[in-house]
Amino acid sequence: MSPAPTGSSAERPSIGRRTVLGAAAAAASAPALLGLSTPASAAPSSAAPRALPGGGDLGPNVIVFDPSTSGIQAKLDEVFRQQESAQFGTGRYALLFKPGTYNGLNAQLGFYMSIAGLGLSPDDTTINGDVTVDAGWFNGNATQNFWRSAENLALVPVNGTNRWAVAQAAPFRRMHVRGGLNLSPNGYGWASGGYIADSRIDGQVGPYSQQQWYTRDSAIGSWLNGVWNMVFSGVEGAPAQSFPNPVYTTLNTTPVSREKPFLYLSGSEYRVFLPEKRTNARGVTWGNGTPRGTSLPLSQFYVAKPGVSAATLNQALTQGLHLLLTPGIYHVDQPIQVNRAGTVVLGLGYATLTPDNGVTALKVADVDGVRLAGFLIDAGPVNSATLLEVGPQGANTDHSANPTTVQDVFVRIGGAGAGKATTSMVINSRHTIVDHTWIWRADHGTGVGWDTNRADYGIVVNGDDVLATGLFVEHFNKYDVQWYGQRGRTIFFQNEKAYDAPNQAAIQNGSVKGYAAYKVGDAVTTHEGWGLGSYCYYNVNPAIVQHNGFSAPNKPGVKFHDLLVVSLGGQGQYERVINETGSPTSGTSTIPSTVVSYP
């Protein structure tokens, strides 16, 4: 791997959390969319608020292209220049391509840029060219390439291989790469990703310097290497199970999955496709005729624009409309309350919810089949007890036939400004599927400090039968994950303990040194996890000792496969991997300590 990028400190963006992490890995290896508005079906009574219309245009930050559009490359470049290094900026963009063939494009993606095809299948929209994520803005370091996405396109890369050098919160979904995929930045610099689902890569996937990666329900030609933790479930062409050498955790199928909803065109009508649930899933959902699922016309969605009130969003939901959040930042002074079974809340271009006055941004009732997808929740300066709640406390309804899904829903505390939340995400409803999330207490940006962006807990799972596929949770003051529900399962977990603990006493957990990254409650009798990693980098006080990364009751039904802990450059150490099992980390060599099977 290449050495660290060069350049004076004055030239570099704020390095923060990722520098040593990346070094360790390197060492180891426009125009508004014309709307389709449908009037409300009934005239409002004088006692009721005027009914809100469904449908409508998608606003100025959804930019739609068709093959005859002139100046596509110039527009892509214009948005990229604005967003390339705007890590904590306010810009949000969705770049949508109507079905057809586009030639000679290179769509470079910066922060809060989403690119997607508008066909029912990725192969309906072909770009003879590239969708590129690289790290020139950060001197070849890709470890902060967050918050960007690609969906529902076929790519024919110019040189045979597409570059997708991302870190967290950057999903690659429902893509067909007619060639290879390179997950590292130019020069093979540091990288810390990532997530692929429902995609076909005809050639080789080369992660190179990527420390960890999760690929779900896809098909690949081959996979090149791994650094610490490469996890596959339901992937045709995946390498065989071999952790820790090579570092592959491979499940033949994914127990339950349901792909993310997506916007598409049916003739000239915009609709949202809702893929059906699969059990023991393997391979992509598309490519053999019409995908399986249902769809909704845009007229059944309230098309929200930044500046709308939470009261209006709730009125739309009460009316029976779904929500489509167009790109931008939404301040909510009361929770968005999803009470109706089957409701879809779909964000475009990293639409962002910011709670005001310490409220919870969004709450879901204990109902079937809610789909939350494609948005960011950014904590406000007044502490919120929670930011997202799926189901009320004590929820116990069986949702196995039609679970709620939380997909590409990301949480941030601090970074863009002061933010606080006691617990970020609470899952109370049974059978919920959390499919790709990054829950992040910021370690860089503005409004950052041990007590400045205080956030004790990342995700708390109280519901039974919950499945997490692609769980990224980082830097919380206490537990990153607490799991109290029975029969929970996690496939892939990536964690860093909070960097900024001032001393050992600040993280002391009773008689235990530090809070485990992933804590299974003492009353749990059945739980299983595959491919889980926790890293420490106590750079404020490198003498801090973390007892273990994982803590769970020692019961026959509580099982873990392929665990690792890593001390990044010797900045703090772990005494054990899980409970009292696993060798301690030591020295500055950033070598993982692993446990293949527990108990």
Side-chain angles (χ1 to χ4, degrees):
M1 301 302 168
S2 296
T6 58
S8 71
S9 58
E11 295 171 324
R12 299 189 187 199
S14 171
I15 300 266
R17 63 199 282 286
R18 299 268 168 186
T19 301
V20 169
L21 178 106
S29 63
L33 173 61
L34 295 177
L36 295 151
S37 176
T38 301
S41 58
S45 71
S46 59
R50 181 180 298 275
L52 296 167
D57 75 87
L58 301 183
N61 286 4
V62 175
I63 302 168
V64 181
F65 304 105
D66 67 44
S68 66
T69 303
S70 61
I72 296 177
Q73 186 66 55
K75 187 63 178 178
L76 295 173
D77 291 346
E78 175 192 340
V79 177
F80 175 67
R81 281 194 299 270
Q82 178 182 318
Q83 298 301 116
E84 180 182 10
S85 58
Q87 181 170 180
F88 298 112
T90 58
R92 305 283 188 274
Y93 291 91
L95 311 169
L96 305 182
F97 287 74
K98 293 182 180 181
T101 300
Y102 301 78
N103 294 314
L105 296 181
N106 180 19
Q108 299 183 81
L109 298 188
F111 289 98
Y112 317 108
M113 291 177 67
S114 296
I115 189 170
L118 287 168
L120 202 51
S121 163
D123 288 326
D124 293 342
T125 310
T126 297
I127 293 178
N128 288 310
D130 297 80
V131 172
T132 301
V133 178
D134 207 344
W137 75 279
F138 203 18
N139 297 306
N141 177 352
T143 59
Q144 292 182 23
N145 281 350
F146 314 137
W147 305 305
R148 63 202 74 196
S149 67
E151 296 184 58
N152 204 31
L153 291 165
L155 305 178
V156 183
V158 168
N159 69 354
T161 300
N162 189 78
R163 186 182 301 281
W164 185 255
V166 298
Q168 285 75 2
F172 195 81
R173 288 186 182 268
R174 200 178 177 77
M175 295 287 287
H176 185 188
V177 181
R178 298 178 194 160
L181 189 64
N182 180 346
L183 304 179
S184 73
N186 185 33
Y188 304 100
W190 315 332
S192 176
Y195 175 91
I196 293 170
D198 199 24
S199 294
R200 182 179 297 277
I201 293 93
D202 294 347
Q204 183 176 74
V205 181
Y208 299 102
S209 54
Q210 285 284 357
Q211 292 117 347
Q212 67 278 316
W213 199 277
Y214 176 50
T215 308
R216 178 181 64 71
D217 299 353
S218 294
I220 62 176
S222 61
W223 190 272
L224 179 63
N225 73 303
V227 176
W228 292 334
N229 191 29
M230 302 281 143
V231 180
F232 308 84
S233 68
V235 178
E236 298 169 357
Q241 167 71 34
S242 57
F243 187 91
N245 186 26
V247 292
Y248 300 144
T249 298
T250 303
L251 288 73
N252 190 53
T253 60
T254 305
V256 188
S257 63
R258 190 175 68 194
E259 297 305 329
K260 176 178 175 283
F262 62 92
L263 191 69
Y264 75 104
L265 273 172
S266 177
S268 61
E269 179 192 21
Y270 283 86
R271 300 181 70 90
V272 173
F273 193 81
L274 308 177
E276 72 174 14
K277 186 190 76 168
R278 297 199 290 170
T279 56
N280 299 317
R282 183 172 171 83
V284 300
T285 63
W286 50 270
N288 295 309
T290 304
R292 302 174 77 93
T294 58
S295 73
L296 297 168
L298 196 64
S299 60
Q300 292 184 22
F301 284 78
Y302 178 72
V303 179
K305 309 284 175 39
V308 70
S309 69
T312 299
L313 297 174
N314 282 328
Q315 181 191 342
L317 291 167
T318 300
Q319 268 181 226
L321 293 171
H322 307 274
L323 295 183
L324 187 72
L325 304 174
T326 65
I329 296 173
Y330 298 75
H331 281 267
V332 294
D333 59 1
Q334 60 180 275
I336 299 169
Q337 186 69 57
V338 179
N339 294 326
R340 178 172 49 89
T343 299
V344 179
V345 180
L346 176 61
L348 301 179
Y350 286 81
T352 301
L353 303 177
T354 298
D356 292 334
N357 303 319
V359 303
T360 299
L362 192 149
K363 294 184 178 184
V364 181
D366 193 25
V367 294
D368 270 358
V370 171
R371 303 180 196 231
L372 308 179
F375 56 90
L376 172 65
I377 300 175
D378 205 357
V382 178
N383 185 72
S384 294
T386 59
L387 294 172
L388 173 66
E389 295 180 18
V390 178
Q393 188 173 358
N396 60 10
T397 304
D398 187 320
H399 299 295
S400 55
N402 190 8
T404 285
T405 44
V406 182
Q407 299 177 285
D408 300 348
V409 174
F410 308 116
V411 175
R412 178 172 69 196
I413 299 98
K420 292 186 178 184
T422 303
T423 303
S424 290
M425 188 181 294
V426 181
I427 308 296
N428 292 320
S429 287
R430 292 181 62 194
H431 301 101
T432 299
I433 300 171
V434 180
D435 175 46
H436 189 228
T437 188
W438 184 37
I439 305 173
W440 185 56
R441 176 182 166 264
D443 65 280
H444 64 272
T446 60
V448 171
W450 183 250
D451 291 309
T452 306
N453 61 329
R454 182 82 192 187
D456 283 352
Y457 308 110
I459 182 171
V460 176
V461 180
N462 297 314
D464 294 340
D465 308 291
V466 171
L467 171 65
T469 51
L471 184 60
F472 299 73
V473 189
E474 295 188 310
H475 303 152
F476 286 84
N477 294 79
K478 294 184 178 179
Y479 290 117
D480 299 277
V481 175
Q482 295 175 91
W483 205 301
Y484 299 112
Q486 298 288 355
R487 297 176 299 280
R489 293 175 290 187
T490 296
I491 304 173
F492 182 89
F493 172 66
Q494 186 265 327
N495 166 262
E496 294 171 357
K497 295 303 299 173
Y499 290 3
D500 54 347
N503 49 50
Q504 189 74 44
I507 64 162
Q508 192 69 15
N509 180 14
S511 62
V512 180
K513 298 172 186 173
Y515 291 80
Y518 189 108
K519 166 69 175 175
V520 180
D522 293 343
V524 172
T525 57
T526 305
H527 186 93
E528 197 159 8
W530 296 263
L532 283 67
S534 176
Y535 323 146
C536 75
Y537 179 57
Y538 288 115
N539 63 329
V540 172
N541 188 335
I544 289 176
V545 175
Q546 174 83 25
H547 182 60
N548 52 31
F550 304 90
S551 176
N554 189 7
K555 298 174 182 175
V558 177
K559 303 175 183 177
F560 288 91
H561 315 273
D562 301 355
L563 300 170
L564 69 132
V565 296
V566 182
S567 167
L568 304 178
Q571 304 290 297
Q573 301 290 348
Y574 292 90
E575 293 180 326
R576 294 287 183 265
V577 179
I578 179 169
N579 293 351
E580 303 306 316
T581 299
S583 301
T585 59
S586 63
T588 61
S589 56
T590 313
I591 296 174
S593 177
T594 61
V595 169
V596 173
S597 182
Y598 182 88

